[in-house]
Amino acid sequence: MPTEDSGDNKLFINRELSWIEFNLRVLEEAKNENHPLLERIKFLSIFSSNLDEFMMIRVSGLRRQIKGGVLESPPDGLTPTEQLTEIRKEVKLQIREADTLWRDTLVELLSEEKINIHKYKDLSKKQKNCMREYFEKEVFPALTPMSFDVGRPFPFISNLSLNLAVIINDPDAGMIFSRVKVPRDAFRRLIQVPPENVHCHGLDKNGKEFNFVFIEDLIASNVDLLFPGMDVVNCYPFVVTRDADIEIEEDEASDLLTAIEESVGLRRTGLPTRLEVNRSMPKWVRIILAQKLSLSSTDVYTNDDPLKKSDLMEFMDIDRPDLKDKPYLPFYPCGFEDENKDIFQTIKNGDILFYHPYDSFNPVINLLKQAADDPDVIAIKQTLYRVGKNSPVVKYLMRARENGKQVSVMVELKARFDEENNIEWAKKLEQSGVHVVYGIVGIKVHAKLCMIVRREKEGMTTYVHFGTGNYNPITARVYTDFGIMTCDSAIGCDAADLFNALTGHSGKIKYDSLLVSFGKTGTMREEIIGYIQNEINNQNINGNGYIALKMNQLVDPYVIKALYDASQNGVKVDLQVRGICSLRPGIPGVSDNIKCTSIVGRFLEHTRLYMFGNNGDPVLLTGSADMMPRNLNRRVEILVPVKDNNIKKDLIKILNIHFADNVNSRMLLSDGTYVRVNRNDDKPCDSQKWMIEHRGEWNENHP
């Protein structure tokens, strides 16, 4: 196996810069006129939200590396300082692009659809009176101005809160700086303005025209009520982003749940990493804010209104279905729309493939429901990573325990930004008598696995559901994910061994069917590289080596080096990597035989599917793992071989359709940039649209 520092670092694309390219592709979807208008605004919101998380986690991590004197560089050779310099340059260009798109295009298109974003100063006198009355009664009581001077310290600015810097001209004290926090928990960002012919209290939508002001504009325009008798010079919005990457000394924590609860509370108070200000803010105000936050001028990002464009997702709540994607009905494989159908007998008739969101997630919920109520089921074991709120999965796990089943659940408390949800569910599961395991020291359990043990005439039978996505019915509507139900005995035995390792102790490293990553002890990387080497052998002997991989991220230098070796030996390699890709395709003599595309569309491409030609008898693996060092070194992950030939055919067809996409797909160039796939005279192929329209036509492999 090659070492990380072997070879030329020019063969690798920097992980962080590759992510920035991914977010640029998201922003490009906001520009795409083929999307309905509100969907374009949704993509702009996602772009902003993605950038917030990147700053909270990745940029803060690089800053910690610099502070800690980290000398080791990633395979691409860029130092943390060099990475930060490139990140700032690219991000600031993207922010300006996003501002221009909103200001010059989307606002105008909204207005054409009678969805108007007003400046408070442009409202009529009657509308201003109505909005001031609303401000006094509703918003004013929730505001707390906080000035700072010799006797009052600079107020704490919480992570991602929207604030106003209020400048007051005091005849005695001179210019005074005061901060007003916008109460986002209590109010929507978009405040509806009554039309001229509606009474002041008629702030509800009238069904024909929508008029809004941003809440910060409403507050700024009535801020005189907060500072009576004072000369308010101006108000400027700003946002502070803080380090939100929780670091837990697990080996020093006597109680992991308590340690994570305490650490989550620190997320809002982490060290600042970014200051966002409106372009109109004077330089002297920016300098004061940056100094008080211990940030340099390079950490100040200027935006047009509105800041925090992630809040633009509120536009999706407007009742204008004509400006959104057309709804569709998910497919039910094998007649699963009948919840009373014996799901266990259906699985015994043959393995079942689900491709969400084109297939309904309800059968997965129904599997747990039937297991909870079935007197023949004796045990359920499950991993939970991100289950969301009001989870029906947790509901049926608790019901199973109430019905006397043995229920064990591995709840990963360290699932980033879902810690609080998972803590809440873990406590409720424990209170219902479920055996809950919180996590494993030093690694995250990211595997998606459910195992049900049932007493039958033939003896004990183990039913397994595994997949690429979380047990979350909300994200199952917008993430593309595979799931497979099976009662294959070998997979069932491996699942049992893995759960025993999760809840107890085990020295087992290699499994009979599953490919398992278990922190540093798993064999997944070696087995994947083994499959790649096998294709090199097939190419050298039979001339038919072929590899097709679809995943979220490709960063692991060992796997990338193996793919380069395959290309150099003539193996054709097709990659589809949604997000970060550190591999450079198309380098002469290195990666000539590798093509890599990325799809950003209506749904988040979240599937992982690994296909190896295997001399005409394809090997297909699917599961939770991307090819990243974190997945292969610091997590529990599984990839499961697909054994059912009908499902193999289905998955290969799905793979081919996605590789043929020439509408949403972009091609990765060797310099790390992406270009739209050249359609030439080919018929348009939108893989996601195709799946919606054709999903049920060819998935009828089982009774």
Side-chain angles (χ1 to χ4, degrees), residues 391-504:
S391 171
V393 172
V394 176
K395 168 187 171 182
Y396 290 120
L397 289 171
M398 292 191 293
R399 189 152 107 187
R401 183 67 197 103
E402 291 165 3
N403 289 339
K405 321 294 183 191
Q406 296 296 314
V407 182
S408 301
V409 179
M410 168 72 238
V411 180
E412 181 47 78
L413 298 183
K414 301 184 291 294
R416 186 178 288 145
F417 299 117
D418 274 274
E419 298 96 345
E420 291 175 280
N421 273 340
N422 289 2
I423 288 169
E424 180 182 347
W425 287 128
K427 290 179 177 179
K428 288 183 177 179
L429 285 164
E430 278 196 326
Q431 289 167 3
S432 69
V434 172
H435 177 62
V436 178
V437 179
Y438 294 142
I440 300 174
V441 173
I443 58 179
K444 288 183 180 180
V445 179
H446 189 247
K448 323 298 183 186
L449 189 63
C450 176
M451 167 184 155
I452 297 167
V453 181
R454 191 169 186 260
R455 182 183 287 111
E456 298 179 350
K457 292 179 181 178
E458 304 83 2
M460 293 295 185
T461 302
T462 299
Y463 295 84
V464 175
H465 174 273
F466 62 89
T468 64
N470 297 301
Y471 290 99
N472 186 326
I474 304 301
T475 56
R477 299 174 191 166
V478 291
Y479 288 19
T480 69
D481 275 306
F482 294 132
I484 293 178
M485 294 180 185
T486 183
C487 59
D488 180 88
S489 59
I491 291 176
C493 288
D494 275 359
D497 286 342
L498 180 58
F499 274 111
N500 288 340
L502 292 173
T503 60

Side-chain angles (χ1 to χ4, degrees), residues 533-552:
Q533 184 60 51
N534 187 55
E535 292 310 305
I536 295 174
N537 297 338
N538 287 333
Q539 180 66 29
N540 291 335
I541 297 171
N542 304 306
N544 63 353
Y546 180 63
I547 299 169
L549 310 178
K550 182 173 172 61
M551 66 189 89
N552 292 263

